[in-house]
Amino acid sequence: MSRLTAHAQTHAHVASHSACADTGFTACISCLMFPFRAMAKVKDTLICAGLFLCSIVFAIVEDLDDTFKDTRLDDVWLVDFYAPWCGYCKKLEPIWYDVGAELKRSGSPVRVGKMDATAYSGMSSEFGVRGYPTIKLLKGDLAYNYKGPRTKDDIIEFANRVAGPAVRALPSKQMFDHMMKRHDVLFVYVGGESPLKEKYIDVAAELIVYTYFFSASEDSLPESVTLPELPSVVVFKDGSYYTYSEYTDASLSSWVNKERFRSYLQIDGFTLYELGETGKLVAIAVINEKDLTEESGRLKTMIQTVAKDYREHFNRDFQFGHMDGNDYINSLIMGEVSVPSIIILNTSNEQYFLPSEPVETLEQLVHFINSVLDGSAQAQGGDGMFQRVKRVAFDAKSTVMSVFRSSPVLGCFLFGLPLGVISLMCYGICTAESEGSQEDTELMKREDDEDEEEQDEDERQQTTGELEGPDDDGENEEEDVQDEKDPGDKKSD
């Protein structure tokens, strides 16, 4: 209807313009103003649309205050605790609104909010916020920390996983096959009610932040799966399956934590951080995938072979993978690792192991891993006091170098200005001391000159006294002679 009205107005305006031309006018004011009126209407429309979109955005991500503590138990919340001055928080903000919009569109029960942790420090302390941004999913009395990449898909996957039940049922083989296609690692409890199931549920509630947990009957599993006993906890990964043993695998929680990764994977900084929580050593082939040489391909293949063929021997203590480039490894060990090469990291104490000789064969690689396992390989690095001091110096140097590489002008301003101020202060202090010492020298010199003048004056006075002394005695003698003569004169008179 509005489109038809606009068309009619335009038609009437064109007719009016024709009438103006017929009357002989060269221009019509209404004709000249028509484009501006149309632009004003478009501008008003865009403003209204923008306000509408803003209202939608603020509706899907709620600003939380101190009243949130009393109302949060009624729903499942995904909350971003941020600081207004935090650069990472500002980078996360548009992603966070996308997360809220996607969860709202998909009908998820998770409500999305954000809280200024600096304005409500008491609330953030209660939730254990130590840095910014901190993402937590609040479900009843439980609070789950998100430690994954800050991307839309990863955050949404975390929210949907944790918000649901800790253990999900697989009622059929079709559902099992569907889940196997979606997940690289699948934990399944098989059997009925038992103490093992209770432990499994507790572990699932604890580790749901990392992976999914399922339960199924034996009929829901593929026919190729043969279990030694029921009930059992099974992990499906790497095209095979492995069963938990209460006698050889210690606690169920520890076993799940170590098995939640594929035996071989590509490793980056974040993955290495997560692998550190498993307690395993990490054997890495450092290669350049952009320029994959024959040597790089050979080391990568050998690591993959060890991960698969020597699983029973090394899986309990080692995680295997490859890393593209050596930048992260170099910053981690504060040294230089050649590409390609093999390195084994102990993330629990920051130690690392390098082969004493080039690894040419699979047997040499297995021997090197065994030497690390039995303690005969020499460990480097560590978390001792010397290494901590070295880390501080290395981080400071890296920060300065990165600033100068990214922006030389900014680097000169940030580091040159303070150095210049410090130099001026030192110069001022040194100059003040030299001037003070010079004044003291001049003062002492003047005092010495005055002392010398006083001594000269005393000497002159003494000299003058000695010269005048005999004249005074002569005068006194004459006076005495005169006095002696006076009585005689008196007699003669």
Side-chain angles (χ1 to χ4, degrees), residues 412-431:
C412 292
F413 177 78
L414 290 177
F415 300 103
L417 183 61
L419 290 175
V421 172
I422 294 173
S423 300
L424 289 175
M425 292 175 61
C426 294
Y427 176 76
I429 293 172
C430 296
T431 304

Side-chain angles (χ1 to χ4, degrees), residues 192-227:
E193 298 297 326
S194 68
L196 180 60
K197 184 175 183 179
E198 294 179 1
K199 292 181 182 179
Y200 182 76
I201 293 174
D202 292 339
V203 171
E206 175 190 356
L207 301 178
I208 189 73
V209 294
Y210 299 119
T211 187
Y212 283 93
F213 294 86
F214 298 92
S215 65
S217 65
E218 193 173 12
D219 296 334
S220 300
L221 301 180
E223 296 179 356
S224 59
V225 177
T226 303
L227 301 179

